[in-house]
Amino acid sequence: MKKKATFAFLTLILLSGCWDSTNIEELNMAIGFAVDKGDNGHKLKLSMQVLVPQKIDQETSIKDPTEIIETSGDSMHQIFRTTAQKTHRIFSHQLRVYLFSQELINENNFDLVINQFIRDNETRRGSLVFMTSEKPGDMLKINDDGQPASSTLYTISGNTKTTIRMFKPVSLGDISSAMQNNVSFALPKVSVDKGKLILEGASIIKNKRFLTNISPLAVQSYNLLTGDAKGGVIDFQYDQSIYSFEIFKLNHNIKTHKSASGTYRFDVSVELDGRLSEDWNVRENSFNEKYLQEIEGVVKQRLEKNVKDFIEKLQHEIKADICGFYQKANIAYPNDFRKEAKHWDEVFSESDIQYKVNVKIRDFGTKGATQSL
């Protein structure tokens, strides 16, 4: 009798299906969150870009299979609960990007704004984070020939091997770690150009608030200073001509010293190997070693000047170590750094940073001389 009862119970379980299943039509898969100042006196506004299964199933005339759900409130948790009153539950397991308003982070501590995202077990800490000076919710409504804005931002952020003027991808986990350590940092800045989303420069966060933006040229210097450059092309003018130097390989090294007076010195050395991919000089002759050495010297001079100007601005105008020199100080002088950590940006601003780059042209393409040999 017991065996029959057990068999009947197991059969009932197997025939019952998934007890917690949800119809796909009832799923709202969030792929992007945009956070801004709230409407109607509220503190926050959250715009969620969600995939709509019904749109995916429809004819191809509907290119963008997403919709934007906007809700204002005084806390993130409240916003999510209010959103549940007007739509199906939002699932954030596939969330790709966060887009924050500079104005919001200028008036509120960043760690407080993202507090709920960090605490939520469903949140992907690997989701990428961006900043914008425009309305982030409106930017999620821009689609690129049917590709949702969230997917566009996620895709173009991977182009760091193609351009040296793009800031590296920054995740929610990276930001959480930086703010726990109370250090300054930067993240990619999003703009709109002729109706298209672009990554243009970076936004600096200091003391958990938005401080200022830096230009794409400054991002290039940042990448050469930190060694984050993975590739890209450096354009410059010399002898009334245009040149392009394409980076193949970058070797980066930092030596850390500290004087008896307590001043840090960071000696940064970079080895750049690349290709002379464009040369508009009428006297061009890449088969001539002296000509190549001349161009190498020009690239070296320009890059060192740009990076040193960037260091000067970072130390004496912005006064924020977004380059991670604090990590080098912590490794080399851990006991001293523990005492300096709380006011590290001040210590960084008084540090001596030396930068040297060595450039080697390994290739100049299939054309070596404009003039007849």
Side-chain angles (χ1 to χ4, degrees):
M1 186 65 181
K2 289 183 178 179
K3 290 184 178 179
K4 290 183 178 180
T6 303
F7 177 77
F9 179 70
L10 291 174
T11 302
L12 182 63
I13 292 176
L14 293 173
L15 293 176
S16 63
C18 297
W19 63 272
D20 63 343
S21 64
T22 303
N23 292 329
I24 191 170
E25 293 82 4
E26 300 175 1
L27 291 177
N28 277 333
M29 305 287 291
I31 60 173
F33 285 169
V35 189
D36 200 356
K37 295 179 66 175
D39 296 328
N40 302 320
H42 289 293
K43 196 173 189 66
L44 301 168
K45 179 180 179 181
L46 177 63
S47 301
M48 295 173 275
Q49 186 165 40
V50 298
L51 288 170
V52 181
Q54 295 94 326
K55 287 188 176 182
I56 298 176
D57 292 337
Q58 292 176 6
E59 297 179 0
T60 55
S61 58
I62 300 179
K63 293 184 177 181
D64 186 352
T66 67
E67 67 178 9
I68 306 298
I69 301 173
E70 298 179 334
T71 308
S72 291
D74 295 321
S75 72
M76 280 299 166
H77 207 164
Q78 178 192 7
I79 287 175
F80 283 118
R81 291 297 177 258
T82 303
T83 303
Q85 296 174 357
K86 58 184 179 182
T87 185
H88 296 299
R89 180 186 172 190
I90 305 294
F91 290 85
S92 57
H93 300 79
Q94 302 300 320
L95 192 70
R96 288 190 152 193
V97 302
Y98 291 89
L99 185 57
F100 291 92
S101 159
Q102 290 179 358
E103 186 179 7
L104 175 68
I105 306 305
N106 186 45
E107 298 176 6
N108 300 273
N109 283 7
F110 208 167
D111 60 335
L112 300 181
V113 175
I114 68 170
N115 185 268
Q116 198 278 335
F117 299 137
I118 296 296
R119 290 172 178 266
D120 188 359
N121 291 330
E122 293 185 359
T123 299
R124 294 179 59 186
R125 295 175 70 89
S127 300
L128 302 184
V129 183
F130 303 88
M131 191 74 70
T132 181
S133 59
E134 304 178 43
K135 291 291 184 183
D138 292 342
M139 301 185 87
L140 286 186
K141 299 174 184 177
I142 300 174
N143 69 72
D144 188 357
D145 293 329
Q147 178 166 297
S150 299
S151 298
T152 299
L153 290 176
Y154 188 86
T155 300
I156 62 179
S157 66
N159 291 339
T160 51
K161 290 184 179 180
T162 306
T163 172
I164 193 174
R165 295 193 176 189
M166 181 179 291
F167 200 83
K168 63 183 180 182
V170 177
S171 70
L172 184 65
D174 294 332
I175 290 179
S176 175
S177 176
M179 287 190 291
Q180 285 179 358
N181 291 321
N182 199 29
V183 295
S184 301
F185 62 95
L187 62 162
K189 177 178 175 289
V190 182
S191 300
V192 179
D193 182 32
K194 297 179 181 178
K196 299 279 189 178
L197 295 175
I198 61 171
L199 295 185
E200 186 178 41
S203 299
I204 294 178
I205 307 298
K206 179 178 179 178
N207 295 327
K208 302 178 181 178
R209 297 283 182 105
F210 166 73
L211 179 64
T212 189
N213 293 315
I214 57 175
S215 68
L217 179 59
V219 170
Q220 172 179 296
S221 295
Y222 168 92
N223 287 329
L224 291 170
L225 178 60
T226 60
D228 286 340
K230 296 181 179 179
V233 176
I234 297 170
D235 298 316
F236 60 98
Q237 290 190 2
Y238 170 66
D239 195 20
Q240 299 180 337
S241 302
I242 299 172
Y243 295 84
S244 295
F245 175 76
E246 183 180 10
I247 298 174
F248 283 166
K249 182 180 178 182
L250 183 149
N251 290 322
H252 178 265
N253 183 55
I254 298 179
K255 293 182 179 180
T256 307
H257 311 275
K258 195 173 186 182
S259 67
S261 62
T263 301
Y264 283 93
R265 189 180 86 247
F266 300 99
D267 294 324
V268 184
S269 58
V270 171
E271 300 282 338
L272 276 182
D273 285 3
R275 178 168 72 102
L276 188 61
S277 58
E278 199 163 1
D279 184 344
W280 287 39
N281 197 324
V282 294
R283 67 179 184 86
E284 177 251 348
N285 186 357
S286 298
F287 291 120
N288 188 319
E289 185 66 25
K290 289 185 178 180
Y291 179 79
L292 289 181
Q293 290 175 355
E294 179 184 349
I295 303 304
E296 289 170 350
V298 173
V299 177
K300 169 185 171 67
Q301 181 184 18
R302 299 293 173 84
L303 294 185
E304 287 184 345
K305 181 183 185 306
N306 288 342
V307 173
K308 288 176 181 178
D309 288 346
F310 174 68
I311 294 171
E312 175 73 17
K313 182 174 182 179
L314 208 57
Q315 286 188 291
H316 302 120
E317 291 184 32
I318 299 175
K319 298 182 179 180
D321 176 17
I322 63 171
C323 300
F325 285 103
Y326 69 91
Q327 296 173 325
K328 301 298 180 180
N330 187 26
I331 293 172
Y333 302 94
N335 294 332
D336 292 346
F337 181 77
R338 278 193 286 270
K339 302 174 185 177
E340 301 160 341
K342 291 184 178 180
H343 59 281
W344 172 253
D345 280 338
E346 297 176 14
V347 176
F348 164 77
S349 298
E350 297 173 356
S351 300
D352 179 18
I353 302 176
Q354 299 295 319
Y355 182 83
K356 292 184 178 181
V357 60
N358 185 49
V359 178
K360 187 64 179 179
I361 297 175
R362 301 292 183 183
D363 183 18
F364 46 81
T366 58
K367 181 179 179 181
T370 300
Q371 297 175 323
S372 301
L373 296 178

